[in-house]
Amino acid sequence: NAGVTQTPKFQVLKTGQSMTLQCAQDMNHNSMYWYRQDPGMGLRLIYYSASEGTTDKGEVPNGYNVSRLNKREFSLRLESAAPSQTSVYFCASSEALRGTYGYTFGSGTRLTVV
Amino acid sequence: AQSVTQLGSHVSVSEGALVLLRCNYSSSVPPYLFWYVQYPNQGLQLLLKYTTGATLVKGINGFEAEFKKSETSFHLTKPSAHMSDAAEYFCAVQDNFNKFYFGSGTKLNVKP
Protein backbone atom coordinates (compact mmCIF):
# COMPACT_ATOMS: atom_id res chain seq x y z
CA ASN A 1 0.00 0.00 0.00
CA ALA A 2 1.22 3.49 -0.82
CA GLY A 3 2.05 5.66 2.12
CA VAL A 4 4.63 6.56 4.72
CA THR A 5 6.63 3.79 6.36
CA GLN A 6 8.45 4.30 9.65
CA THR A 7 10.93 1.97 11.30
CA PRO A 8 11.24 0.83 13.99
CA LYS A 9 7.76 0.83 15.55
CA PHE A 10 9.09 0.53 19.10
CA GLN A 11 12.47 1.26 20.66
CA VAL A 12 13.91 1.44 24.15
CA LEU A 13 17.19 3.33 24.58
CA LYS A 14 19.42 4.00 27.51
CA THR A 15 20.34 7.59 28.29
CA GLY A 16 23.24 8.65 26.10
CA GLN A 17 22.70 6.07 23.38
CA SER A 18 22.17 7.14 19.79
CA MET A 19 19.76 5.91 17.18
CA THR A 20 18.23 6.82 13.83
CA LEU A 21 14.55 6.71 13.03
CA GLN A 22 13.87 5.89 9.42
CA CYS A 23 11.06 7.20 7.24
CA ALA A 24 10.26 6.49 3.61
CA GLN A 25 7.37 7.54 1.40
CA ASP A 26 6.38 6.20 -2.00
CA MET A 27 3.95 8.91 -3.07
CA ASN A 28 6.52 11.08 -4.84
CA HIS A 29 5.92 13.83 -2.29
CA ASN A 30 8.33 16.72 -2.18
CA SER A 31 8.04 17.71 1.49
CA MET A 32 8.66 15.59 4.56
CA TYR A 33 8.38 16.25 8.27
CA TRP A 34 9.21 14.85 11.68
CA TYR A 35 6.87 15.46 14.62
CA ARG A 36 6.83 14.33 18.19
CA GLN A 37 3.60 13.69 20.06
CA ASP A 38 3.39 14.04 23.80
CA PRO A 39 0.26 13.73 25.98
CA GLY A 40 -1.71 16.96 26.15
CA MET A 41 0.66 18.78 23.80
CA GLY A 42 -0.49 17.71 20.39
CA LEU A 43 2.13 17.37 17.69
CA ARG A 44 5.22 19.53 17.63
CA LEU A 45 7.39 19.92 14.58
CA ILE A 46 11.00 18.86 15.03
CA TYR A 47 12.44 19.28 11.53
CA TYR A 48 11.11 19.45 8.03
CA SER A 49 12.40 19.18 4.50
CA ALA A 50 10.65 21.28 1.89
CA SER A 51 12.32 19.42 -0.94
CA GLU A 52 15.17 17.05 -1.60
CA GLY A 53 18.41 18.60 -0.45
CA THR A 54 16.92 21.05 2.05
CA THR A 55 16.15 20.77 5.75
CA ASP A 56 14.95 23.30 8.31
CA LYS A 57 14.34 23.45 12.01
CA GLY A 58 10.87 23.30 13.41
CA GLU A 59 9.56 24.15 16.84
CA VAL A 60 11.62 21.69 18.94
CA PRO A 61 14.86 20.79 17.09
CA ASN A 62 17.27 20.59 20.02
CA GLY A 63 18.83 17.16 20.47
CA TYR A 64 17.94 15.99 16.96
CA ASN A 65 19.47 15.94 13.51
CA VAL A 66 17.93 14.98 10.19
CA SER A 67 19.02 13.82 6.77
CA ARG A 68 17.00 13.99 3.57
CA LEU A 69 18.75 11.09 1.92
CA ASN A 70 16.77 11.33 -1.32
CA LYS A 71 13.26 12.27 -2.33
CA ARG A 72 11.81 9.19 -0.65
CA GLU A 73 13.70 9.05 2.63
CA PHE A 74 13.98 11.40 5.61
CA SER A 75 15.73 10.16 8.74
CA LEU A 76 15.79 11.54 12.28
CA ARG A 77 18.83 10.98 14.49
CA LEU A 78 19.16 11.25 18.24
CA GLU A 79 22.87 11.60 18.97
CA SER A 80 22.67 11.26 22.74
CA ALA A 81 19.23 10.23 23.92
CA ALA A 82 17.71 11.83 27.02
CA PRO A 83 14.60 10.81 29.01
CA SER A 84 12.91 14.03 27.80
CA GLN A 85 12.97 12.54 24.31
CA THR A 86 10.64 9.75 25.33
CA SER A 87 7.76 10.30 22.95
CA VAL A 88 5.91 9.03 19.92
CA TYR A 89 7.54 10.19 16.71
CA PHE A 90 5.63 10.65 13.50
CA CYS A 91 6.95 11.17 10.03
CA ALA A 92 4.71 12.84 7.48
CA SER A 93 4.88 13.89 3.86
CA SER A 94 3.00 16.25 1.58
CA GLU A 95 3.03 17.12 -2.09
CA ALA A 96 4.41 20.54 -1.37
CA LEU A 97 5.42 22.62 1.59
CA ARG A 98 2.18 24.48 1.15
CA GLY A 99 0.38 21.24 1.92
CA THR A 100 -3.09 22.08 0.80
CA TYR A 101 -3.73 18.39 0.46
CA GLY A 102 -2.71 17.89 4.05
CA TYR A 103 -0.17 15.45 5.32
CA THR A 104 0.11 11.70 5.02
CA PHE A 105 1.38 10.30 8.31
CA GLY A 106 3.29 7.18 9.16
CA SER A 107 2.10 4.94 11.97
CA GLY A 108 4.66 6.24 14.43
CA THR A 109 7.68 5.13 16.44
CA ARG A 110 7.23 4.77 20.20
CA LEU A 111 10.55 5.65 21.81
CA THR A 112 11.32 5.22 25.48
CA VAL A 113 14.58 6.53 26.94
CA VAL A 114 15.46 5.12 30.34
CA ALA B 1 3.30 32.16 15.67
CA GLN B 2 -0.08 30.60 15.41
CA SER B 3 -1.83 28.93 18.27
CA VAL B 4 -4.58 26.37 18.01
CA THR B 5 -6.93 25.80 20.91
CA GLN B 6 -9.12 22.76 21.21
CA LEU B 7 -11.64 23.17 23.99
CA GLY B 8 -12.01 20.00 25.99
CA SER B 9 -9.32 17.36 26.05
CA HIS B 10 -12.04 14.72 26.50
CA VAL B 11 -15.56 14.71 25.09
CA SER B 12 -18.08 11.97 25.77
CA VAL B 13 -21.31 11.49 23.80
CA SER B 14 -23.88 8.76 23.50
CA GLU B 15 -24.18 6.75 20.33
CA GLY B 16 -26.53 8.60 17.97
CA ALA B 17 -25.96 11.98 19.61
CA LEU B 18 -24.46 15.07 18.02
CA VAL B 19 -20.68 15.34 18.05
CA LEU B 20 -19.22 18.83 18.43
CA LEU B 21 -15.48 19.30 18.79
CA ARG B 22 -14.28 22.85 19.10
CA CYS B 23 -11.24 24.48 17.51
CA ASN B 24 -10.14 28.11 17.58
CA TYR B 25 -7.02 29.56 16.02
CA SER B 26 -5.19 32.78 16.64
CA SER B 27 -4.48 34.30 13.25
CA SER B 28 -6.42 37.22 11.80
CA VAL B 29 -5.39 36.11 8.32
CA PRO B 30 -7.41 33.13 7.12
CA PRO B 31 -5.08 30.18 7.10
CA TYR B 32 -5.57 26.67 5.80
CA LEU B 33 -7.44 24.57 8.34
CA PHE B 34 -7.51 20.83 8.86
CA TRP B 35 -9.01 18.17 11.07
CA TYR B 36 -7.19 14.89 11.59
CA VAL B 37 -8.29 11.73 13.38
CA GLN B 38 -6.01 9.33 15.20
CA TYR B 39 -7.11 5.84 16.14
CA PRO B 40 -5.17 4.02 18.88
CA ASN B 41 -1.61 3.10 17.91
CA GLN B 42 -1.99 4.62 14.46
CA GLY B 43 -0.85 7.73 12.68
CA LEU B 44 -3.07 10.69 11.89
CA GLN B 45 -5.54 10.55 9.02
CA LEU B 46 -6.94 13.59 7.26
CA LEU B 47 -10.67 14.04 7.95
CA LEU B 48 -11.26 17.26 6.07
CA LYS B 49 -9.66 20.56 5.14
CA TYR B 50 -10.56 24.14 4.38
CA THR B 51 -8.39 26.08 1.96
CA THR B 52 -10.60 28.51 0.04
CA GLY B 53 -14.18 28.71 -1.15
CA ALA B 54 -17.18 27.28 0.67
CA THR B 55 -16.88 27.68 4.40
CA LEU B 56 -18.78 24.49 5.20
CA VAL B 57 -16.47 21.59 4.48
CA LYS B 58 -17.54 17.97 4.32
CA GLY B 59 -15.13 15.21 5.16
CA ILE B 60 -15.03 11.47 5.50
CA ASN B 61 -17.20 9.37 7.82
CA GLY B 62 -20.00 11.96 7.91
CA PHE B 63 -17.97 14.71 9.58
CA GLU B 64 -18.11 18.33 8.57
CA ALA B 65 -16.63 21.59 9.78
CA GLU B 66 -17.48 25.23 9.28
CA PHE B 67 -14.91 27.97 8.94
CA LYS B 68 -16.07 31.13 10.71
CA LYS B 69 -13.63 33.93 10.11
CA SER B 70 -15.32 36.35 12.52
CA GLU B 71 -15.00 33.82 15.32
CA THR B 72 -11.62 32.39 14.19
CA SER B 73 -13.18 28.98 14.64
CA PHE B 74 -13.30 25.69 12.75
CA HIS B 75 -15.51 23.41 14.81
CA LEU B 76 -16.00 19.78 13.80
CA THR B 77 -19.46 18.24 13.87
CA LYS B 78 -21.23 15.00 13.09
CA PRO B 79 -25.01 14.68 13.44
CA SER B 80 -25.03 11.16 14.85
CA ALA B 81 -22.11 9.54 16.65
CA HIS B 82 -21.12 5.98 15.97
CA MET B 83 -19.06 3.74 18.19
CA SER B 84 -16.38 3.64 15.51
CA ASP B 85 -15.92 7.42 15.87
CA ALA B 86 -14.14 6.94 19.19
CA ALA B 87 -10.66 8.33 18.58
CA GLU B 88 -8.54 11.40 19.16
CA TYR B 89 -9.15 14.39 16.91
CA PHE B 90 -6.66 17.10 16.11
CA CYS B 91 -7.29 20.50 14.61
CA ALA B 92 -4.42 21.96 12.60
CA VAL B 93 -3.65 25.29 11.03
CA GLN B 94 -1.22 26.06 8.24
CA ASP B 95 -0.19 29.68 8.20
CA ASN B 96 1.06 31.88 5.38
CA PHE B 97 4.64 30.98 6.24
CA ASN B 98 3.99 27.32 5.44
CA LYS B 99 4.15 26.17 9.03
CA PHE B 100 1.69 23.67 10.49
CA TYR B 101 0.41 24.03 14.02
CA PHE B 102 -1.59 21.34 15.78
CA GLY B 103 -3.97 21.62 18.67
CA SER B 104 -3.46 19.46 21.73
CA GLY B 105 -6.18 17.04 20.68
CA THR B 106 -9.63 15.99 21.87
CA LYS B 107 -10.36 12.40 22.76
CA LEU B 108 -13.88 11.43 21.77
CA ASN B 109 -15.58 8.69 23.76
CA VAL B 110 -18.82 7.24 22.41
CA LYS B 111 -21.05 5.52 24.94
CA PRO B 112 -23.42 2.74 23.86
Side-chain angles (χ1 to χ4, degrees):
Chain A
N1 290 335
V4 178
T5 302
Q6 290 183 237
T7 56
K9 292 190 183 302
F10 301 92
Q11 184 71 48
V12 178
L13 288 179
K14 293 182 179 179
T15 298
Q17 285 185 318
S18 63
M19 79 161 294
T20 300
L21 281 64
Q22 306 288 352
C23 175
Q25 53 91 8
D26 58 5
M27 296 169 289
N28 203 35
H29 284 173
N30 288 306
S31 302
M32 298 184 74
Y33 313 81
W34 276 105
Y35 282 87
R36 60 178 289 173
Q37 183 180 28
D38 302 291
M41 302 188 73
L43 279 78
R44 292 181 292 169
L45 182 64
I46 305 171
Y47 271 94
Y48 66 101
S49 171
S51 60
E52 185 179 356
T54 69
T55 61
D56 285 287
K57 295 179 180 179
E59 184 183 355
V60 288
N62 291 343
Y64 305 95
N65 284 300
V66 290
S67 295
R68 183 74 183 267
L69 303 171
N70 47 55
K71 191 172 185 178
R72 291 186 63 249
E73 298 173 288
F74 188 40
S75 63
L76 178 72
R77 183 161 178 84
L78 287 70
E79 291 291 351
S80 179
S84 61
Q85 294 179 304
T86 294
S87 187
V88 182
Y89 292 84
F90 287 100
C91 178
S93 69
S94 65
E95 290 192 16
L97 187 59
R98 191 76 166 133
T100 57
Y101 296 97
Y103 290 166
T104 299
F105 283 86
S107 57
T109 296
R110 294 182 181 276
L111 175 66
T112 302
V113 182
V114 298
Chain B
Q2 284 273 358
S3 68
V4 181
T5 302
Q6 291 184 239
L7 288 177
S9 58
H10 291 81
V11 169
S12 186
V13 301
S14 297
E15 193 172 18
L18 171 72
V19 175
L20 171 61
L21 304 181
R22 300 177 186 275
C23 173
N24 288 86
Y25 61 93
S26 61
S27 174
S28 60
V29 177
Y32 290 177
L33 298 159
F34 303 81
W35 275 100
Y36 285 86
V37 60
Q38 184 180 32
Y39 299 102
N41 300 316
Q42 294 187 26
L44 280 70
Q45 301 173 33
L46 181 65
L47 261 183
L48 51 79
K49 66 180 188 291
Y50 168 80
T51 54
T52 59
T55 57
L56 182 62
V57 180
K58 294 186 184 299
I60 61 172
N61 301 336
F63 283 93
E64 60 183 36
E66 186 172 10
F67 167 57
K68 292 188 176 181
K69 181 180 175 181
S70 61
E71 299 178 5
T72 59
S73 69
F74 191 57
H75 301 331
L76 181 70
T77 60
K78 182 174 180 178
S80 177
H82 191 273
M83 296 297 291
S84 62
D85 295 327
E88 190 162 16
Y89 293 80
F90 291 91
C91 180
V93 167
Q94 186 176 31
D95 67 13
N96 291 326
F97 298 97
N98 299 327
K99 292 284 181 67
F100 255 87
Y101 300 88
F102 286 85
S104 56
T106 298
K107 288 187 177 178
L108 175 66
N109 178 46
V110 182
K111 299 175 290 186

